Amino acid sequence: MIPFLDIRASVSELQSDLDEAYRRVMASGWFINGSEVVAFEREFADYCGVRNCVGVGNGMDALYLILRAYGIGPGDEVIVPAHTFIATWLAVTNCGATPVSVGVFGDTYNIDPVQVAAAITSRTKAIMPVHLYGQPADMDSLNALAEVHNLKVIEDAAQAHGARYKGRRVGALGSAAGFSFYPGKNLGAYGDAGAITTNDDELAEKLQMLRNYGSKKKYHHEISGVNSRLDELQAAFLRVKLKRLDDWNARRQEIAARYLTVLESLPDLELPKVRAWADAVWHLFVVQHPQRDALQAHLELQGVQTAIHYPIPPADSGAYRGRVRSDSACQAITERLLSLPIGPHLLDADVDHVVHALQDFGRRQ
């Protein structure tokens, strides 16, 4: 069986460096808000091309805390894509604001700026584009709208570590950005972890308090905060993996290029498109097929593990059903989506096997 993603492979590749990181933290005797977190924040900020990085507990907290720090709450609206992981929406709901669902392009799965423009009201306070599946959203168009309407642009960069938009890395393209380091991400920890990047120094200072019970100094709580801190051990592991991120992303791009070239002629299989200004890092390689379920079953029989992202649009989930208008175009997309294996440790022979299995399904139709 070719796994959808083999997380254990990164452990094997980096075992000695990970062991050294573990020993370093254990020997320090300091496990919360220590030198590893400070070092990772500096290194990841430099990587993204921003002045500030604030480590937090997970990706959803990153988005939620940005909204909190900007004072967005009850009575406010935040524009979000109809197709995304539900954490994008939950971050908005958890701060008391209302998510406003906007349609996405059917070939990149990113939010449509034209539909964003139509959704802006007097209550809109922010636009939250998601660089879904590792491909940047059209940030110039969104930032232009934000400037006209005095809005914040908050990047959900949970799936796009290292991706570039017109030469600039995501995480430096809006007011602030939230990252997830969930183990399956391009840059993944070995547990939950997240971070916020921004060039807004005032925001960063407030976020540092919000994540730590609203405190700059121990037992001095200046604002009402939460407990959402990047773990010292996870920060040490992330420092090791950050050094390999560009190489791993390059391997993902090699695999994606082969898929795009070889699978182009297969009947009924719709491949993702990449805009000319985008440098995608392919967190996921998502195709569409009218017989998605039959295709997935065929691949399983051929020893290829796949996944579906995301089978239930947020608007149709129990959390939001009846509260947010359902998007029929989004529903149609989700019924056709299938994610193929594309991890950085996938062998050429494995990629060939996936391709041959897809070709075999095409011949049987």
Side-chain angles (χ1 to χ4, degrees):
M1 176 65 70
I2 296 172
F4 178 69
L5 178 65
D6 185 1
I7 296 175
R8 296 170 298 179
S10 69
V11 178
S12 299
E13 178 182 346
L14 303 172
Q15 188 72 68
S16 61
D17 291 335
L18 295 172
D19 288 346
E20 170 56 29
Y22 168 80
R23 287 192 292 267
R24 191 170 65 241
V25 174
M26 294 299 106
S28 75
W30 195 284
F31 305 106
I32 299 291
N33 285 350
S35 61
E36 297 292 340
V37 170
V38 172
F40 174 74
E41 288 175 335
R42 181 180 64 252
E43 291 160 6
F44 194 62
D46 289 345
Y47 179 82
C48 293
V50 296
R51 289 195 299 273
N52 304 288
C53 173
V54 180
V56 295
N58 56 70
M60 194 176 90
D61 280 0
L63 299 174
Y64 162 74
L65 289 172
I66 294 169
L67 294 167
R68 276 278 313 271
Y70 276 133
I72 296 172
D76 298 331
E77 295 177 348
V78 178
I79 294 176
V80 295
H83 179 60
T84 183
F85 182 54
I86 199 170
T88 312
W89 287 45
L90 290 174
V92 176
T93 304
N94 286 353
C95 73
T98 300
V100 175
S101 178
V102 162
V104 301
F105 293 112
D107 55 359
T108 68
Y109 311 109
N110 279 327
I111 199 166
D112 180 354
V114 173
Q115 295 188 53
V116 170
I120 294 172
T121 72
S122 60
R123 294 183 296 277
T124 306
K125 293 297 184 292
I127 305 167
M128 191 178 286
V130 181
H131 304 306
L132 200 65
Y133 305 147
Q135 183 166 177
D138 185 358
M139 293 301 294
D140 281 356
S141 298
L142 297 173
N143 282 326
L145 287 171
E147 185 174 357
V148 169
H149 297 279
N150 192 28
L151 307 175
K152 301 298 183 185
V153 177
I154 301 168
E155 302 172 72
D156 183 339
Q159 300 185 9
H161 316 74
R164 294 180 187 269
Y165 172 82
K166 298 184 178 180
R168 298 171 59 204
R169 290 198 197 275
V170 304
L173 305 175
S175 308
F179 285 88
S180 166
F181 303 123
Y182 181 78
K185 305 298 186 186
N186 292 40
L187 178 61
Y190 296 105
D192 272 326
I196 297 159
T197 57
T198 183
N199 282 315
D200 186 335
D201 298 334
E202 183 179 345
L203 177 74
E205 184 176 359
K206 190 169 185 180
L207 287 165
Q208 287 165 356
M209 289 191 291
L210 278 172
R211 70 173 178 182
N212 189 37
Y213 302 103
S215 172
K216 282 186 190 177
K217 181 180 178 182
K218 194 170 185 178
Y219 301 132
H220 293 258
H221 306 280
E222 301 178 30
I223 56 178
S224 174
V226 300
N227 176 13
S228 181
R229 299 172 298 205
L230 175 59
D231 180 84
E232 189 78 353
L233 188 59
Q234 297 301 340
F237 291 153
L238 287 167
R239 294 182 67 198
V240 172
K241 297 182 80 173
L242 181 58
K243 296 173 183 177
R244 297 290 297 136
L245 178 58
D246 285 344
D247 289 339
W248 287 347
N249 282 343
R251 175 57 179 162
R252 289 175 181 269
Q253 290 166 339
E254 288 178 1
I255 296 170
R258 175 148 176 75
Y259 281 155
L260 290 170
T261 300
V262 179
L263 301 177
E264 183 179 21
S265 61
L266 284 188
D268 296 325
L269 189 71
E270 295 181 40
L271 301 174
K273 300 293 192 298
V274 181
R275 301 293 187 251
W277 37 252
D279 184 10
V281 292
W282 300 104
H283 172 60
L284 298 172
F285 190 93
V286 180
V287 300
Q288 293 186 51
H289 197 284
Q291 299 180 59
R292 187 268 311 281
D293 293 345
L295 174 58
Q296 185 176 38
H298 172 81
L299 292 174
E300 183 78 14
L301 288 174
Q302 296 295 315
V304 177
Q305 190 179 65
T306 59
I308 298 173
H309 300 84
Y310 299 97
I312 303 174
D316 299 318
S317 68
Y320 293 101
R321 191 182 306 117
R323 298 168 55 192
V324 179
R325 180 178 57 84
S326 182
D327 186 308
S328 59
C330 180
Q331 286 178 323
I333 289 174
T334 59
E335 292 171 359
R336 297 164 53 92
L337 295 182
L338 188 66
S339 301
L340 305 181
I342 196 168
H345 297 92
L346 205 62
L347 301 176
D348 287 344
D350 296 333
V351 177
D352 288 342
H353 185 81
V354 174
V355 167
H356 294 154
L358 285 159
Q359 292 171 333
D360 182 60
F361 183 82
R363 286 192 293 268
R364 297 181 184 212
Q365 301 311 297

